[in-house]
Amino acid sequence: MAPGGTAALVGMRREFLRDLADHPERAALDADLSRLFRSWFNPGFLSLQRIDWSTSALILERLIQYEAVHQIQGWRDLRRRLERDRCCFAFFHPALADEPLIFIEVALTRGLSSKVQSLLDPDSAVLDPKTANCAVFYSITNCQEGLRGISFGNHLIARVTAQLGHEFPHLRTFATISPLPGFRDWLCGESAAGIRRSAELADFLAAAQGSTPPSPPAHLQRELTAVCAYYLTRARRGKMPFDPVARFHLANGARLERLNWMGDVSSAGLKRAFGFTVNYVYRLGELDRNHDTFARGYRVVVSRQIDRLAQSVAVTGASGRHANER
Amino acid sequence: MAPGGTAALVGMRREFLRDLADHPERAALDADLSRLFRSWFNPGFLSLQRIDWSTSALILERLIQYEAVHQIQGWRDLRRRLERDRCCFAFFHPALADEPLIFIEVALTRGLSSKVQSLLDPDSAVLDPKTANCAVFYSITNCQEGLRGISFGNHLIARVTAQLGHEFPHLRTFATISPLPGFRDWLCGESAAGIRRSAELADFLAAAQGSTPPSPPAHLQRELTAVCAYYLTRARRGKMPFDPVARFHLANGARLERLNWMGDVSSAGLKRAFGFTVNYVYRLGELDRNHDTFARGYRVVVSRQIDRLAQSVAVTGASGRHANER
Amino acid sequence: MAPGGTAALVGMRREFLRDLADHPERAALDADLSRLFRSWFNPGFLSLQRIDWSTSALILERLIQYEAVHQIQGWRDLRRRLERDRCCFAFFHPALADEPLIFIEVALTRGLSSKVQSLLDPDSAVLDPKTANCAVFYSITNCQEGLRGISFGNHLIARVTAQLGHEFPHLRTFATISPLPGFRDWLCGESAAGIRRSAELADFLAAAQGSTPPSPPAHLQRELTAVCAYYLTRARRGKMPFDPVARFHLANGARLERLNWMGDVSSAGLKRAFGFTVNYVYRLGELDRNHDTFARGYRVVVSRQIDRLAQSVAVTGASGRHANER
Amino acid sequence: MAPGGTAALVGMRREFLRDLADHPERAALDADLSRLFRSWFNPGFLSLQRIDWSTSALILERLIQYEAVHQIQGWRDLRRRLERDRCCFAFFHPALADEPLIFIEVALTRGLSSKVQSLLDPDSAVLDPKTANCAVFYSITNCQEGLRGISFGNHLIARVTAQLGHEFPHLRTFATISPLPGFRDWLCGESAAGIRRSAELADFLAAAQGSTPPSPPAHLQRELTAVCAYYLTRARRGKMPFDPVARFHLANGARLERLNWMGDVSSAGLKRAFGFTVNYVYRLGELDRNHDTFARGYRVVVSRQIDRLAQSVAVTGASGRHANER
């Protein structure tokens, strides 16, 4: 009821979540707050706002602070991300003025991008957005730690897709260029022990244990890509896909479309996934069907090309059983 | 989640409440909606908006439709209620654009008003608001039948009192001029059977049974006023004061200050309460204390004058017991 | 420079113009103010605003006061004029907040209207605007007497035509339904002395001298219509068309399209023009050409039908010479 | 009339002024544009807007580009200049959206600042503005080269002074900390040839001819300060004070209050005025009187302290005559 009360409660839960693990007795209180927030922050109350260079500096500064996928390197970098061939949208809640809940960054391009670095280059030429045929969602960031577990991303993607389709009728493809945050950990860990691998790959993985792995050599491209396809389509945590980003987009009804070798050669990209990126495609006509397919038994909707690559991987033991669980 | 979803649910409950009595099995669903709305319409989400002659005609037209205490007689009447010496405020919710939830009408006056009709006269002279020392809340209306039971009035009065005090530092008194909706029914009914009454009063009450009671004659003023004071301070429904408007203001921490003979001589005023009105005073410094006093056993905070009048009333039987319950 | 300075100067000229005729020495000052206003109120500074039922009551009330062509009969009448099948637009100037400079009222209809009264009927059914093929400009009013002589109407029509064409792509015809304010005075006056007329018409005109002329009888329809066509196309004041509304629309590049017998049977309509109305059509593709045609020697761009009617009128003496001036 | 027409004309004059000197035949056209702009950009049409961290990045970026007195070193510097103890205001014109015409930067301080560098330090502590007693105007910049000669500064200072006085009733002093752009050139030039100077000063001036003059040594403080006081109060260009900034503030009715040794030790400050700054004080009660004093014969309203210093300077020849012209 008090002015600023909503912000105070969200802040309280943020503090609270930091050491929830040490205080199991607080789980009930967390559940209460979570239920309250799910009601207060229901999607019908959120307003979708376009973020551009005429937006308040106060809010732009927060995007710089919050951006979690591809860090924003100051105002010059931000300005490039808000040019005519880029779009940015955020959800706001009436009781949290000037505080974005979540935001998404989109690049309007000719053809589907495979390389993150060229999208992010602050010196890249600006495209006339009317000539673009593709909208690439290259970053989506939840801003409020205190709202962890309240999901906004699927609504945001749906609203932004509709909005862009209306504004730029020439767009043919709506797709992400996404990280695979769990690939390297999985491949170097126990879960992938049963994946048959060449001596060269084994050598590379052994050498790539450190915190700053090298770029994988070109002669491993075919084998690593196949293993990566296997990872995205067959590796499981429980019954769900192992990769958290895959879980998110597949649950939204997207299709796993393409794997990009050397798609993100930043040190974060190499560390997370040996430089791979993946495109998930959002086709308005098939979202509901794909969502249902995934909801029933977590079956991954995937392009024929990736599926064939995944099938080519030979597995023994435990990893094989994971595959059979499908 | 859907656009317009909140409005649709509020509308659904409005329909629903109309024949809830005939469908007891729907009580659980009503309780669910009620709980949901209590969360969605929590006071922290409401925005206080001033309503004046520069407000959208769409909203002004709704005030004309909704006003429940003193009906608005068209645009000319409304315009007088929005002059410089009148104020109107409403609560809005972000998901219900252009739909007031509740609104209050205030007159800025010199001295505390006792007569509603002179406040409402569309031809009355406009006072320079800087010379006013009193803010009279003369009407407060809940607009959304579908939000029945979700209480906004106390927050609205608190916000408006603070706002007016800030804007017009010369204001000394914040008070209502309120109806007593239950007085006539109580006095003519069984509950008041034990109240000793003169032959003249008994004759008048017998003659005033119809749907359009006459003005009470002047020689009954003293006796009727005393009985009215008794009604407001001692008559009970369960443990609570009998009069619903009294319950509302006393629970907010107001003080029952003054009874006004012939305060509302409209046919509605005569029918409800033989023309009486009452002033409840909101004194910032004593609201919390009064609220607590009332909350503990429903003791009525009342001016000495009204209390003495009430004591002078002789009671026998059941009504007397009510008084002792205090 | 002072706050409210612009409004004060416009008000000063309004007072000033009232008795300018009695004070010829003030003409130079008037010319100065007029030149100043022409600079201050240049079209580039004006903002076009849509007026609808969500507009401030303050501004709507001014429309009621200012409307000069077809008086607005209170809020109910106004509300009908702001329904979905009606549009209203006004120009505002940043230094005159809440004061419209000029406004136009438009009806979206199926087919080109000939009768004003059916357009104005507050109880008429509301048309789905998507099914309309015609936008009828039925009223345009200059609001600021102090800005007399500064012309906004042509810009307003141009902007509104563009805006409506964009918003309702199904509209095929943009036209006015206009009064002929000078027809009756001309026909009953000296200027029309040379127009040959039947005995019946002469009798009617003799009987129609008073301030409330009767409806013309049906058997005069053909003759009166022809004389009216003559009036609009050939009657002159100096080199310009006699009728001021004709001058305005023809100078804007409109085409004189159709004459409507009994188009406005209000007492004002009968008094001005024996009930005639006229449709001027704005065709985007020919506005510039028509404007040039009219600008060179004031030649009237007119439909074949009206032109033939006008030719059929026999003239002797002075009026005939006017016609030859074409 | 055309959209963007005003901006196009202002831009045209900007281009135009660049080589006006080479095209004397264009002077008449420039005079026309200048007269037009004086009418269009009259102060009554300008809107005063507060600039702070919630302002659009588009506008903030323009401040960074335009700031002419103390260059803004990127977004971090700008952010400090928009903290709670700083204020920034700009004039905008309705036809030039997002384009400031002029802006002023103000520091709220305890005591009157003498040193520019401490005001500008992006790492300085932020003061609670309620504890400030002094508003220091430390920068004022005209943004539109195409509006050269149209004066906004005096109106801006008047509006901002009124606004701040209303918002922060504890402010006692409104003053500038201003550069003396002509001091060094004057002192090293012919105009000051008659000023008697010590051998030490003569040596220093001889050594300080280059484009990056050294800080003046401490033992010259008294003599240089006196000469500087003479410069501001007695040095003339025609009948007007020699220094352009002095001319501006004195014509506004300000009082020349204090000279600050080492007030601006940036290379620009040393180059312009050997590090001196000056405080002009705006006292609401004396602005009109001072303005009149200055308007009649350009008499400089000056504090007793500075006046005495100026009197102590011995002069021979031409410079002496200037002094006598007072």
Side-chain angles (χ1 to χ4, degrees):
Chain A
M1 287 185 191
T6 307
L9 285 177
V10 172
M12 188 183 298
R13 184 165 178 249
R14 186 186 59 229
E15 298 302 315
F16 194 80
L17 286 171
R18 284 193 191 152
D19 46 6
L20 188 56
D22 303 339
H23 298 274
E25 77 282 6
R26 295 183 186 162
L29 179 50
D30 181 53
D32 274 359
L33 279 174
S34 182
R35 193 159 38 230
L36 191 65
F37 292 165
R38 227 172 285 273
S39 161
W40 284 0
F41 289 87
N42 87 76
F45 287 5
L46 306 185
S47 74
L48 180 70
Q49 289 179 28
R50 175 170 236 128
I51 306 287
D52 57 25
W53 194 238
S54 70
T55 300
S56 150
L58 183 66
I59 288 172
L60 295 183
E61 186 183 42
R62 293 202 169 131
L63 300 200
I64 298 179
Q65 289 163 359
Y66 291 139
E67 160 70 76
V69 182
H70 302 295
Q71 227 191 322
I72 302 177
Q73 314 289 341
W75 290 85
R76 191 168 149 264
D77 183 1
L78 176 64
R79 198 187 196 305
R80 178 65 188 91
R81 298 192 190 195
L82 300 175
E83 285 285 1
R84 295 191 305 145
D85 62 346
R86 298 289 185 269
C87 299
C88 180
F89 293 89
F91 270 146
F92 287 84
H93 187 274
L96 288 186
D98 298 335
E99 266 297 348
L101 304 186
I102 186 173
F103 65 95
I104 192 167
E105 294 166 78
V106 188
L108 303 178
T109 59
R110 290 198 60 74
L112 181 52
S113 298
S114 62
K115 310 271 183 206
V116 156
Q117 269 68 38
S118 50
L119 282 186
L120 294 179
D121 179 3
D123 296 319
S124 57
V126 175
L127 185 75
D128 178 352
K130 285 197 209 103
T131 68
N133 55 15
C134 189
V136 182
F137 304 136
Y138 66 94
S139 179
I140 183 164
T141 296
N142 281 295
C143 305
Q144 305 298 326
E145 189 50 28
L147 295 177
R148 192 197 295 167
I150 322 292
S151 124
F152 306 117
N154 47 349
H155 299 286
L156 182 59
I157 290 180
R159 291 282 301 277
V160 167
T161 301
Q163 167 87 25
L164 290 175
H166 180 78
E167 205 170 322
F168 301 103
H170 297 300
L171 293 178
R172 287 289 156 267
T173 309
F174 295 86
T176 73
I177 181 162
S178 299
L180 306 80
F183 179 43
R184 180 168 166 256
D185 283 353
W186 173 84
L187 186 51
C188 298
E190 295 240 324
S191 318
I195 304 288
R196 194 139 355 130
R197 53 196 76 185
S198 66
E200 289 86 351
L201 178 53
D203 286 352
F204 169 71
L205 291 178
Q209 297 287 18
S211 62
T212 50
S215 288
H219 68 266
L220 285 180
Q221 175 170 0
R222 209 194 168 291
E223 184 176 5
L224 253 178
T225 305
V227 171
C228 186
Y230 181 94
Y231 163 72
L232 284 174
T233 57
R234 286 156 172 79
R236 301 274 148 167
R237 170 168 283 168
K239 301 190 164 181
M240 302 269 281
F242 192 95
D243 191 80
V245 171
R247 287 200 295 272
F248 173 74
H249 291 298
L250 294 168
N252 291 344
R255 161 190 298 271
L256 203 167
E257 186 73 17
R258 201 173 73 182
L259 266 176
N260 304 302
W261 169 258
M262 296 290 155
D264 178 2
V265 296
S266 70
S267 69
L270 291 170
K271 218 158 115 184
R272 287 192 291 232
F274 299 120
F276 279 101
T277 60
V278 58
N279 300 122
Y280 299 95
V281 169
Y282 282 75
R283 253 181 228 124
L284 286 177
E286 63 180 41
L287 291 181
D288 286 346
R289 187 162 20 106
N290 292 352
H291 169 84
D292 291 349
T293 303
F294 185 73
R296 281 193 309 271
Y298 304 110
R299 188 145 164 225
V300 174
V301 176
V302 60
S303 65
R304 178 168 306 231
Q305 190 196 8
I306 294 191
D307 199 42
R308 278 201 195 131
L309 274 171
Q311 283 174 15
S312 72
V313 175
V315 185
T316 58
S319 302
R321 277 204 304 281
H322 275 130
N324 292 340
E325 275 171 20
R326 274 213 312 162
Chain B
M1 287 187 191
T6 307
L9 285 178
V10 172
M12 188 183 297
R13 185 164 177 251
R14 187 186 57 228
E15 298 302 315
F16 194 80
L17 285 172
R18 284 193 190 154
D19 46 7
L20 187 57
D22 303 340
H23 298 276
E25 77 283 6
R26 294 183 187 163
L29 180 49
D30 181 52
D32 274 358
L33 280 174
S34 181
R35 194 161 36 232
L36 191 64
F37 292 165
R38 227 172 285 275
S39 162
W40 283 0
F41 289 88
N42 86 77
F45 287 7
L46 306 184
S47 75
L48 181 70
Q49 290 180 27
R50 174 169 237 131
I51 306 288
D52 57 26
W53 195 237
S54 69
T55 300
S56 150
L58 184 66
I59 289 171
L60 295 184
E61 185 183 43
R62 292 198 171 136
L63 299 200
I64 297 179
Q65 290 164 358
Y66 290 139
E67 160 70 76
V69 182
H70 302 294
Q71 226 190 323
I72 302 177
Q73 314 290 341
W75 290 86
R76 190 169 149 265
D77 184 2
L78 177 65
R79 200 188 195 302
R80 177 64 187 91
R81 299 191 190 196
L82 301 175
E83 287 283 0
R84 295 191 306 145
D85 62 347
R86 297 289 184 272
C87 299
C88 180
F89 293 89
F91 271 145
F92 287 83
H93 187 274
L96 288 185
D98 298 336
E99 267 296 349
L101 305 185
I102 186 174
F103 65 96
I104 192 168
E105 294 165 79
V106 189
L108 304 178
T109 58
R110 291 196 59 73
L112 181 52
S113 297
S114 60
K115 311 270 184 208
V116 156
Q117 270 68 37
S118 50
L119 282 185
L120 294 179
D121 179 4
D123 295 319
S124 56
V126 176
L127 185 76
D128 178 352
K130 285 197 207 105
T131 69
N133 56 15
C134 189
V136 182
F137 304 137
Y138 66 93
S139 179
I140 183 164
T141 296
N142 281 296
C143 305
Q144 305 298 326
E145 189 50 27
L147 295 176
R148 193 197 293 170
I150 322 292
S151 128
F152 305 118
N154 47 349
H155 299 286
L156 181 58
I157 290 179
R159 291 282 302 276
V160 167
T161 301
Q163 167 87 24
L164 290 175
H166 181 76
E167 205 171 321
F168 300 103
H170 297 301
L171 293 178
R172 287 290 158 265
T173 309
F174 295 86
T176 72
I177 181 162
S178 299
L180 305 80
F183 179 42
R184 179 168 165 256
D185 283 353
W186 173 83
L187 186 52
C188 299
E190 295 239 326
S191 317
I195 304 286
R196 192 133 6 123
R197 53 196 77 187
S198 65
E200 288 88 350
L201 178 53
D203 286 354
F204 170 72
L205 292 178
Q209 297 286 17
S211 61
T212 50
S215 289
H219 68 268
L220 285 180
Q221 175 168 1
R222 211 196 165 287
E223 184 177 2
L224 254 178
T225 307
V227 170
C228 187
Y230 182 93
Y231 164 72
L232 285 174
T233 57
R234 283 153 173 82
R236 302 274 148 167
R237 169 167 283 168
K239 301 190 163 182
M240 302 270 281
F242 192 95
D243 191 80
V245 171
R247 286 200 295 273
F248 172 73
H249 291 299
L250 294 168
N252 291 345
R255 162 191 297 272
L256 202 166
E257 185 73 16
R258 202 173 73 181
L259 265 177
N260 304 302
W261 169 258
M262 297 290 156
D264 179 2
V265 296
S266 71
S267 68
L270 291 170
K271 219 159 116 184
R272 288 191 291 233
F274 299 121
F276 279 101
T277 60
V278 59
N279 299 121
Y280 299 94
V281 169
Y282 281 76
R283 257 184 221 118
L284 287 176
E286 62 180 42
L287 292 180
D288 285 347
R289 190 165 16 109
N290 292 351
H291 169 84
D292 290 349
T293 302
F294 185 74
R296 281 193 308 271
Y298 305 112
R299 192 151 157 218
V300 175
V301 176
V302 60
S303 66
R304 180 168 302 232
Q305 192 196 6
I306 295 190
D307 199 42
R308 276 199 197 135
L309 274 171
Q311 281 174 15
S312 71
V313 174
V315 185
T316 59
S319 303
R321 278 205 303 280
H322 275 128
N324 294 339
E325 274 172 21
R326 272 215 311 161
Chain C
M1 288 185 191
T6 307
L9 284 177
V10 172
M12 189 183 298
R13 185 164 177 250
R14 187 186 58 227
E15 299 301 317
F16 195 80
L17 285 172
R18 283 192 192 153
D19 46 6
L20 188 57
D22 303 339
H23 297 275
E25 78 282 6
R26 295 185 186 162
L29 180 49
D30 182 53
D32 273 359
L33 280 174
S34 181
R35 192 160 37 232
L36 191 64
F37 292 164
R38 228 172 284 273
S39 162
W40 283 359
F41 289 88
N42 88 75
F45 288 6
L46 306 185
S47 75
L48 181 70
Q49 289 179 27
R50 175 170 236 129
I51 306 287
D52 58 25
W53 194 239
S54 71
T55 300
S56 150
L58 184 67
I59 288 172
L60 295 184
E61 186 184 41
R62 293 203 168 130
L63 300 199
I64 297 180
Q65 289 163 359
Y66 290 140
E67 160 70 75
V69 182
H70 302 295
Q71 226 190 324
I72 302 176
Q73 314 290 342
W75 290 87
R76 190 168 150 265
D77 183 2
L78 176 64
R79 200 187 195 304
R80 177 65 188 88
R81 298 191 191 195
L82 301 175
E83 287 283 2
R84 295 191 305 146
D85 61 347
R86 297 289 184 270
C87 299
C88 180
F89 293 89
F91 270 146
F92 287 82
H93 186 274
L96 288 186
D98 298 335
E99 267 296 349
L101 305 185
I102 186 174
F103 65 94
I104 192 168
E105 295 164 79
V106 188
L108 304 177
T109 60
R110 290 197 60 74
L112 181 53
S113 298
S114 61
K115 311 270 183 206
V116 157
Q117 270 67 39
S118 50
L119 282 186
L120 295 179
D121 179 3
D123 295 319
S124 56
V126 176
L127 185 76
D128 179 351
K130 285 197 208 102
T131 69
N133 56 15
C134 189
V136 181
F137 304 135
Y138 65 94
S139 179
I140 182 163
T141 296
N142 280 295
C143 305
Q144 305 298 326
E145 189 50 27
L147 295 176
R148 193 196 293 168
I150 322 291
S151 124
F152 305 118
N154 47 350
H155 298 287
L156 182 58
I157 290 179
R159 292 281 301 278
V160 167
T161 301
Q163 167 87 24
L164 290 175
H166 180 76
E167 205 169 322
F168 300 102
H170 297 300
L171 294 178
R172 286 290 157 265
T173 309
F174 294 86
T176 73
I177 181 163
S178 298
L180 306 82
F183 179 42
R184 180 168 165 255
D185 283 352
W186 172 84
L187 186 52
C188 298
E190 295 239 325
S191 318
I195 304 287
R196 198 145 344 139
R197 56 196 76 186
S198 66
E200 288 88 351
L201 179 54
D203 285 353
F204 170 71
L205 292 178
Q209 296 287 14
S211 62
T212 50
S215 288
H219 69 266
L220 286 180
Q221 174 169 1
R222 210 198 164 285
E223 184 177 3
L224 254 178
T225 306
V227 172
C228 186
Y230 181 92
Y231 163 72
L232 284 174
T233 57
R234 285 154 173 83
R236 299 276 149 167
R237 169 167 283 168
K239 301 189 163 183
M240 301 269 281
F242 192 94
D243 191 79
V245 170
R247 287 200 296 273
F248 173 74
H249 290 299
L250 294 168
N252 291 344
R255 161 191 298 271
L256 202 167
E257 186 73 17
R258 200 174 73 182
L259 265 176
N260 304 302
W261 169 257
M262 297 289 157
D264 179 2
V265 296
S266 71
S267 68
L270 291 169
K271 218 158 115 183
R272 288 191 292 232
F274 299 119
F276 277 103
T277 59
V278 58
N279 299 122
Y280 299 94
V281 169
Y282 281 76
R283 255 182 224 119
L284 286 177
E286 63 181 41
L287 291 181
D288 286 346
R289 187 163 20 108
N290 292 352
H291 169 85
D292 291 350
T293 302
F294 185 73
R296 282 193 307 271
Y298 304 111
R299 195 155 155 214
V300 174
V301 177
V302 59
S303 66
R304 177 166 305 232
Q305 190 196 9
I306 295 190
D307 199 42
R308 277 198 195 135
L309 273 172
Q311 282 174 14
S312 71
V313 175
V315 186
T316 59
S319 302
R321 278 205 302 279
H322 274 130
N324 293 338
E325 275 171 20
R326 273 213 314 161
Chain D
M1 287 185 192
T6 307
L9 285 177
V10 172
M12 189 184 297
R13 185 165 176 249
R14 187 186 57 228
E15 298 303 316
F16 195 80
L17 286 171
R18 284 194 191 152
D19 47 6
L20 187 57
D22 303 340
H23 297 276
E25 77 282 6
R26 295 184 187 163
L29 179 50
D30 181 52
D32 274 359
L33 279 175
S34 181
R35 194 162 33 235
L36 192 64
F37 292 165
R38 227 172 285 274
S39 162
W40 284 358
F41 290 87
N42 86 78
F45 288 6
L46 307 183
S47 75
L48 180 71
Q49 290 179 27
R50 176 170 235 128
I51 306 287
D52 57 25
W53 195 238
S54 71
T55 300
S56 148
L58 184 66
I59 288 172
L60 295 184
E61 186 183 43
R62 292 201 170 132
L63 299 199
I64 297 179
Q65 289 163 359
Y66 290 140
E67 160 70 78
V69 183
H70 302 295
Q71 227 190 323
I72 302 176
Q73 314 290 341
W75 290 86
R76 192 169 149 265
D77 184 1
L78 176 64
R79 200 188 196 303
R80 178 64 187 91
R81 298 192 191 196
L82 301 175
E83 286 284 1
R84 294 191 306 144
D85 61 347
R86 297 290 185 269
C87 298
C88 180
F89 293 90
F91 271 146
F92 288 83
H93 187 274
L96 288 185
D98 297 336
E99 265 298 348
L101 306 185
I102 186 173
F103 65 95
I104 192 167
E105 295 165 79
V106 188
L108 304 177
T109 58
R110 290 197 59 73
L112 181 53
S113 298
S114 61
K115 311 270 184 207
V116 156
Q117 270 69 38
S118 51
L119 282 186
L120 295 178
D121 179 3
D123 295 319
S124 56
V126 175
L127 185 75
D128 178 351
K130 285 198 207 104
T131 68
N133 55 15
C134 190
V136 182
F137 305 136
Y138 66 93
S139 179
I140 183 163
T141 296
N142 280 296
C143 305
Q144 305 298 326
E145 189 51 27
L147 295 176
R148 193 198 293 169
I150 323 291
S151 125
F152 305 117
N154 46 350
H155 298 286
L156 182 58
I157 291 180
R159 291 282 302 277
V160 167
T161 301
Q163 167 88 24
L164 290 175
H166 180 78
E167 204 170 322
F168 301 101
H170 297 301
L171 294 178
R172 288 288 158 264
T173 308
F174 295 86
T176 73
I177 181 163
S178 298
L180 306 80
F183 179 43
R184 180 167 165 256
D185 283 353
W186 172 83
L187 186 52
C188 298
E190 295 239 324
S191 317
I195 304 288
R196 193 133 1 126
R197 55 196 77 186
S198 66
E200 289 86 352
L201 180 54
D203 285 356
F204 170 71
L205 291 178
Q209 297 285 17
S211 61
T212 49
S215 289
H219 68 268
L220 284 180
Q221 175 169 1
R222 211 197 163 287
E223 185 178 3
L224 253 179
T225 307
V227 170
C228 186
Y230 181 93
Y231 163 73
L232 284 174
T233 57
R234 285 156 172 80
R236 301 274 148 167
R237 169 166 284 168
K239 300 191 164 182
M240 301 270 281
F242 192 95
D243 191 79
V245 171
R247 285 200 295 273
F248 173 73
H249 291 299
L250 294 168
N252 290 345
R255 163 190 297 272
L256 201 166
E257 185 73 16
R258 201 173 73 181
L259 266 176
N260 304 303
W261 170 259
M262 297 289 157
D264 179 2
V265 296
S266 71
S267 69
L270 291 169
K271 217 158 116 184
R272 288 191 291 231
F274 299 120
F276 279 101
T277 60
V278 58
N279 300 120
Y280 298 95
V281 169
Y282 282 75
R283 256 182 223 120
L284 286 178
E286 63 180 42
L287 291 180
D288 286 346
R289 189 162 19 106
N290 292 351
H291 170 83
D292 291 348
T293 302
F294 185 73
R296 282 193 307 272
Y298 304 112
R299 186 143 165 228
V300 174
V301 176
V302 61
S303 67
R304 180 167 302 232
Q305 191 197 8
I306 295 192
D307 198 42
R308 275 201 197 132
L309 274 171
Q311 282 174 17
S312 71
V313 174
V315 185
T316 60
S319 302
R321 277 204 304 280
H322 274 129
N324 292 340
E325 273 171 22
R326 273 213 315 162

